[in-house]
Amino acid sequence: QVQMVESGGGLVQAGGSLRLTCAPSGRTFSGNAMGWFRQTPGKEREFVAGITWAIGMTYYAVSVKGRFTISRDNAKNTSYLQMNSLKPEDTAVYYCAATSSYINTSPREFYSWGQGTQFTVSS
């Protein structure tokens, strides 16, 4: 089964920027949209941003709108999450996954989850 591979995590100071990358391991992305989620210990996985693969329509959680930008490169089979103006509350493990839906924010509708990439925003 195809699994997404996330990369780009690390440590960044508040107000800084970071870019995460996601690509399916070894195969072409086959979903209709790709989503980014985040999770902190003891909390449910939270939707962050999504993008439809064919036309690149984007949608965001309110908490990140205006600060995060999701994009995709179809030729590279890769999605990016550019994160600016980072806050300590953005600290989490970030995951990407695919969905056969076009606009969906529920983790239950996504599949091929990656292992996640951790990043920490220091205050």
Side-chain angles (χ1 to χ4, degrees):
Q1 185 175 353
V2 176
Q3 186 175 33
M4 300 301 170
V5 179
E6 305 94 343
S7 61
L11 176 65
V12 63
Q13 288 190 328
S17 299
L18 198 68
R19 189 178 80 162
L20 303 182
T21 300
C22 173
S25 60
R27 294 177 65 176
T28 301
F29 181 76
S30 60
N32 288 319
M34 183 182 286
W36 284 92
F37 292 78
R38 64 188 181 187
Q39 190 169 23
T40 54
K43 292 189 176 182
E44 293 187 356
R45 198 162 291 188
E46 172 190 33
F47 170 78
V48 174
I51 187 165
T52 61
W53 207 248
I55 64 172
M57 183 171 63
T58 60
Y59 46 109
Y60 298 92
V62 172
S63 59
V64 306
K65 197 168 186 179
R67 300 188 298 122
F68 290 13
T69 302
I70 187 172
S71 60
R72 92 272 187 252
D73 185 329
N74 296 63
K76 294 183 178 180
N77 215 28
T78 298
S79 167
Y80 306 97
L81 186 66
Q82 177 67 42
M83 304 177 292
N84 299 326
S85 302
L86 285 165
K87 305 175 182 179
E89 51 264 43
D90 294 319
T91 296
V93 177
Y94 282 68
Y95 301 88
C96 67
T99 180
S100 56
S101 304
Y102 288 94
I103 300 178
N104 206 308
T105 62
S106 171
R108 299 184 192 87
E109 300 298 324
F110 285 77
Y111 54 89
S112 298
W113 292 92
Q115 295 297 310
T117 185
Q118 165 81 50
F119 83 85
T120 300
V121 182
S122 63
S123 57

